[in-house]
Amino acid sequence: MSATARRWAGPLTLYLLGIFMGAIDTGIITPARPIISAQLGVDESAGIWMITIYTLAYAAAIPIMGKLADRNGRKRIYLLSIGLFGLGSLLCGLSQDVGSFGMLIASRALQAIGGGGILPIATAEVGTTVPTERRGLALGLVGAVYGVANIFGASAGSLVLQIAGPQNWQWIFYVNIPITVAILVVGSLVLPRHTGEVTAPIDALGSLVLVTMILSLLYGLRNLDFLDVASSVTGTDVWPFLVTFLALVPILIVVERRAADPVLHLAYFTDRGIALTLLLSLLSGVILMGVVFVPEFAENSLRLPAGSGGYAVIALGLTSGVGAPLSGRLTDRFGPRLVLGFGALVCLVAAAALIGWAIPAPSTVSVMVSLCLLGLGLGFVVGSPLNYMMLERTDPADSSSALATLSLMRSIGTTLAPAVMVGFLAQAGVVVQADVTAALPRTIPAPALPHAAELQETLTRWKADPALSDRLGSLDPALLNTTEITIDTGGTGSLPEPLVQELRDADVTTIVGVSKDVARILFAQETPATIATITTGVQSGIDGVDEGLKGMSDAEANMADSLATMDANLATMSTSLGRMTRELSKMDEGLAGMRKGIAGVDAGIGGMAQGLTGLDRAIAGMDEGLAGQREALAQAEQGAAVESGPAPGAGAQVAGLRAAVAQLEAQRGAAIEQRTQLQAKREQATKKRADLVASRAALLRGRAALAQASVKLSGGRADLARARADLAEARSTVLAERDELRVTRAEMVELQEAVPAAFDTALESYLAEIDDAAPAIESAYQQGLNQGFRSVYLLFGGAAALSLVALVLVGRPRR
């Protein structure tokens, strides 16, 4: 190594180390951002300022620090920038112990102010102190270190978090402390002291206006939705800042024209070559930002776990690390325009490979080849050519300001590009969420509930019977016939914010798991109403059944009481009927006796009539005999008188006749007496018969009345027996229905109690369906997000193509 090379090797190393430290902190916080936000208690919109404030302050500090370096010497301002960066890093780490998000934001701004002086001063020092024949190589190393640091920032953050633990995120800042101390100590000894030659007063007003313009432009553009410019530009977080930027442009021109030592040389923008070089620097920032999304693109395209996309970045970084120093050597030989044009062309080819090959047909070969091309192109674009072009077109005394302006334009590009690219990915993310949720099963089989079929049949029968429908309450039998449940997969707007963030932060390897988390929430949102409808309906049915059971129990008790009363009445009727039957039997016996008595009396009366007839004949015969005897006696008496005295024997004859007449009269009188007695007996028998007939008639009437009463009582008993049979049958029906109701109620209770567990089973089935749909979900996620990457790399390719056009238009340098 020559003496000259040894002289600038040490300072170059320190400058490169500073560039590496400043550039790597742009992305090192990225993996820790969600952790820091959660620990410090801020939401996503506030947490993004950890990155935004660094980018804004970095861009705003570049021209100021470059001008201070021109005035006060590069070494002094470079070491001041390193010190500010280290102090900001220390305070960022301490903000975790303090627990202050405001302190973290302020410390990040202090970091960025220091970082804004590192790159332009280091680049200017290398570009002006390294021998001309080695300048391209040195500037190539600057570009390589800057590009590799930007590329590996996020990976470095993940590595620190992996070593220190996610809860010790402060170490992503503390790692800068020893590097800062080393640069400050060694740099104060070995860095060359170049005294500033500018004696004009610093352009404080111009610096203030420029910083305000930059902050307004970047903040407004950062909040602009490039996919919906028309509506988002009217937002209060966009148009006032863009208007402020435009309003300050003429003010800046006036201020800078009057400034003795303007912070921004307006002549840069009137010189076509310098203006196009600045445009190329802005476009290089846009191209560089294509690297930021490479890890996520690789993970999505190759379906890698989150965080493992760094392996793809390594391949890109290696080719970029080869291209950057090579671009320096080639710049020394062929000039910066040709080298930069080659880099832009390679970037354009890389964009075409990504868009036309890797995105539609992702594979390890297509992705890695495209990324290697991308890294190689970046190595040439971000390396030495632009710095070389700027230095050869500006005065050496303004090299720091010139390179600061160049870095400012690149920073504007690196700030604007992510705003647009993130918009693409955000829009793709919205589409992806819709595509993923659309890929989720929208319906699942309704859970199998116990006794659902039996209850469905029973409840349908009840519903068709007006007398039974009141048992249903509000329970619709069709509810138990549900065959599937619809899940509103478009309802992600009602998801809790942590899960929405989880869905946003998902990758192709976790999207199925996240989708299952989403499904659980959607299921939890959708099914409680169904569960409540079922359980409430079933409970209404149970209440209706309970009312029915109560009514049936009351009715059955009343029926039982009525049956007991009927049984008592039937027993009483049976007793009465038995007594009536016995009385009728006795009456029949009495009637039979009366019939016999009447028959006997009739027989006696007939005998008496015959006796009276005989007595009448006997009396008549006696009367005839008496008449004859009286006649004979008269004749005898007469004959005895004629003969004047009784003839012998005549008196005896008369006496005999008289005695015969007297005897016959006596007999006749006895016969008459006997007849009279017999007639009296006959009359008594007739009267007795009449009495018997009357008694018999009365008994017949009584028997008829009793028989009629017996028939009526028997009919009433038969009616009561039939009514009892009907009531007993009705009671049996009530008992059977009550048993059915009890069984139905038990089935309802069992079904109601089984609903939650059944829906848990349904959820498991739903999650199993999601597992079955995993390929479709992953494919929907991958393809949807790749559409966002397609837009990103269209912008990337557009910047490369525009760079080629600008290179054609840029003229030869004046020197």
Side-chain angles (χ1 to χ4, degrees):
M1 180 183 295
S2 65
T4 302
R6 284 195 298 269
R7 281 197 307 272
W8 60 262
L12 178 61
T13 301
L14 288 178
Y15 287 131
L16 293 178
L17 186 59
I19 291 172
F20 181 84
M21 181 177 68
I24 201 171
D25 247 54
T26 303
I28 197 170
I29 199 174
T30 303
R33 178 174 53 82
I35 300 171
I36 297 174
S37 298
Q39 193 174 106
L40 297 183
V42 297
D43 59 19
E44 180 72 15
S45 60
I48 197 64
W49 275 97
M50 287 180 273
I51 296 175
T52 301
I53 195 65
Y54 188 90
T55 306
L56 295 178
Y58 185 86
I62 286 175
I64 307 301
M65 299 305 287
K67 181 58 66 177
L68 288 174
D70 288 340
R71 290 177 55 84
N72 301 290
R74 294 170 186 161
K75 175 179 179 179
R76 183 181 301 174
I77 301 304
Y78 179 75
L79 293 179
L80 174 63
S81 299
I82 293 291
L84 289 175
F85 187 88
L87 178 61
S89 298
L90 175 64
L91 294 176
C92 283
L94 291 176
S95 66
Q96 181 181 25
D97 299 319
V98 176
S100 171
F101 182 70
M103 178 179 175
L104 175 63
I105 293 301
S107 302
R108 282 288 284 172
L110 183 60
Q111 255 192 324
I113 292 172
I118 294 173
L119 179 62
I121 295 173
T123 305
E125 188 70 7
V126 171
T128 56
T129 59
V130 174
T132 305
E133 68 274 9
R134 297 287 185 176
R135 186 172 299 169
L137 174 60
L139 290 175
L141 289 174
V142 170
V145 170
Y146 180 79
V148 169
N150 269 285
I151 291 170
F152 287 113
S155 300
S158 297
L159 179 62
V160 173
L161 289 176
Q162 184 178 358
I163 295 173
Q167 301 308 312
N168 296 313
W169 51 264
Q170 57 197 11
W171 285 98
I172 66 176
F173 302 108
Y174 285 159
V175 294
N176 296 324
I177 306 303
I179 302 175
T180 298
V181 173
I183 294 175
L184 290 175
V185 172
V186 179
S188 62
L189 299 176
V190 305
L191 289 180
R193 184 182 299 274
H194 294 147
T195 305
E197 299 178 358
V198 179
T199 58
I202 192 167
D203 183 15
L205 181 58
S207 299
L208 178 61
V209 174
L210 179 61
V211 169
T212 304
M213 286 180 60
I214 293 172
L215 292 177
S216 298
L217 176 63
L218 295 184
Y219 186 81
L221 292 178
R222 179 171 289 278
N223 293 322
L224 183 65
D225 184 355
F226 288 90
L227 298 179
D228 189 13
V229 175
S231 60
S232 65
V233 76
T234 60
T236 55
D237 57 349
V238 176
W239 73 264
F241 299 94
L242 298 182
V243 170
T244 299
F245 169 78
L246 294 175
L248 289 175
V249 170
I251 296 175
L252 178 66
I253 294 174
V254 172
V255 170
E256 293 302 274
R257 282 179 176 176
R258 293 179 179 179
D261 184 18
V263 69
L264 184 65
H265 289 282
L266 297 180
Y268 290 164
F269 298 95
T270 59
D271 184 290
R272 189 184 70 173
I274 298 176
L276 288 173
T277 301
L278 294 176
L279 174 61
L280 286 167
S281 183
L282 186 145
L283 294 173
S284 72
V286 175
I287 293 172
L288 178 60
M289 284 300 97
V291 178
V292 173
F293 303 98
V294 165
E296 187 178 357
F297 168 71
E299 290 166 2
N300 185 66
S301 296
L302 301 180
R303 301 194 178 189
L304 301 174
S308 60
Y311 295 112
V313 176
I314 290 174
L316 186 149
L318 291 176
T319 55
S320 177
V322 171
L326 182 59
S327 72
R329 290 183 179 275
L330 294 176
T331 298
D332 291 332
R333 185 172 181 180
F334 298 104
R337 293 173 61 196
L338 188 60
V339 173
L340 187 59
F342 175 77
L345 181 61
V346 173
C347 286
L348 185 59
V349 173
L354 287 166
I355 296 169
W357 183 23
I359 289 176
S363 67
T364 302
V365 173
S366 63
V367 170
M368 297 311 295
V369 169
S370 299
L371 292 183
C372 286
L373 287 172
L374 179 61
L376 182 62
L378 282 174
F380 282 86
V381 170
V382 185
S384 63
L386 277 172
N387 295 327
Y388 211 110
M389 289 175 66
M390 191 65 179
L391 289 174
E392 68 183 4
R393 284 171 170 77
T394 56
D395 193 289
D398 296 328
S399 58
S400 293
S401 296
L403 291 178
T405 304
L406 191 73
S407 297
L408 172 62
M409 297 304 293
R410 181 187 291 116
S411 296
I412 293 174
T414 58
T415 303
L416 297 182
V420 181
M421 293 174 177
V422 167
F424 293 145
L425 293 180
Q427 184 64 30
V430 173
V431 175
V432 163
Q433 291 183 37
D435 290 345
V436 168
T437 52
L440 296 178
R442 296 185 62 84
T443 60
I444 58 173
L449 297 174
H451 311 297
E454 304 96 291
L455 286 172
Q456 169 72 14
E457 180 181 356
T458 300
L459 300 181
T460 302
R461 175 165 48 83
W462 288 357
K463 187 175 183 179
D465 189 344
L468 303 178
S469 60
D470 59 342
R471 297 178 183 173
L472 295 172
S474 61
L475 177 59
D476 185 356
L479 185 65
L480 303 180
N481 195 34
T482 303
T483 58
E484 63 182 24
I485 299 173
T486 300
I487 302 296
D488 181 10
T489 57
T492 55
S494 58
L495 294 176
E497 180 57 31
L499 190 56
V500 173
Q501 187 59 45
E502 184 182 357
L503 189 59
R504 291 172 183 160
D505 295 341
D507 59 63
V508 70
T509 64
T510 62
I511 188 60
V512 174
V514 174
S515 297
K516 292 170 76 171
D517 292 339
V518 171
R520 290 186 181 93
I521 296 298
L522 291 176
F523 192 88
Q525 290 176 350
E526 297 289 329
T527 56
T530 303
I531 293 174
T533 300
I534 294 175
T535 54
T536 302
V538 173
Q539 185 60 51
S540 177
I542 291 173
D543 294 340
V545 169
D546 286 339
E547 287 294 324
L549 283 173
K550 182 179 181 303
M552 284 186 172
S553 295
D554 293 342
E556 190 276 332
N558 292 333
M559 287 179 176
D561 292 342
S562 298
L563 285 173
T565 301
M566 285 181 172
D567 287 339
N569 291 337
L570 285 172
T572 300
M573 286 180 173
S574 296
T575 301
S576 298
L577 284 173
R579 186 172 62 251
M580 287 180 175
T581 301
R582 289 192 297 273
E583 289 179 0
L584 286 172
S585 179
K586 289 179 180 179
M587 286 181 174
D588 288 339
E589 290 177 358
L591 287 172
M594 286 182 176
R595 282 197 299 273
K596 289 181 181 179
I598 291 172
V601 170
D602 287 341
I605 291 175
M608 289 180 180
Q610 291 178 357
L612 286 173
T613 301
L615 287 174
D616 286 339
R617 283 195 302 268
I619 291 173
M622 288 179 180
D623 285 340
E624 290 178 1
L626 281 175
Q629 286 182 358
R630 283 190 186 104
E631 184 178 356
L633 179 58
Q635 288 177 0
E637 287 177 350
Q638 184 178 10
V642 168
E643 292 180 356
S644 62
Q653 184 180 4
V654 170
L657 286 170
R658 287 181 176 171
V661 169
Q663 182 180 3
L664 188 57
E665 285 179 348
Q667 288 179 344
R668 182 179 178 280
I672 292 172
E673 179 69 23
Q674 184 179 0
R675 185 183 182 283
T676 301
Q677 291 179 352
L678 185 59
Q679 180 65 33
K681 287 182 179 179
R682 184 175 180 272
E683 290 176 356
Q684 289 177 351
T686 300
K687 183 176 181 301
K688 181 178 181 181
R689 183 183 184 282
D691 292 339
L692 282 175
V693 169
S695 296
R696 184 175 180 276
L699 185 59
L700 283 172
R701 289 194 299 274
R703 186 187 184 284
L706 183 61
Q708 185 178 2
S710 175
V711 170
K712 185 176 180 180
L713 182 61
S714 179
R717 185 182 183 281
D719 292 340
L720 184 60
R722 285 192 297 272
R724 185 194 182 283
D726 293 341
L727 184 60
E729 183 178 359
R731 181 173 179 264
S732 298
T733 301
V734 168
L735 289 174
E737 290 184 356
R738 187 176 69 177
D739 291 340
E740 180 187 35
L741 279 183
R742 286 174 175 170
V743 171
T744 301
R745 186 186 189 281
E747 291 175 347
M748 285 183 173
V749 170
E750 185 177 351
L751 181 145
Q752 185 184 45
E753 292 175 348
V755 168
F759 273 81
D760 289 341
T761 302
L763 174 58
E764 295 304 317
S765 300
Y766 187 45
L767 296 179
E769 288 190 26
I770 292 177
D771 286 331
D772 294 338
I777 294 172
E778 291 175 349
S779 178
Y781 182 90
Q782 183 185 47
Q783 294 175 9
L785 196 58
N786 270 349
Q787 290 306 308
F789 287 118
R790 180 177 180 274
S791 299
V792 167
Y793 291 110
L794 275 173
L795 178 63
F796 174 88
L802 190 57
S803 296
L804 290 172
V805 174
L807 283 170
V808 172
L809 297 176
V810 71
R812 292 183 176 275
R814 293 176 299 174
R815 298 185 288 110

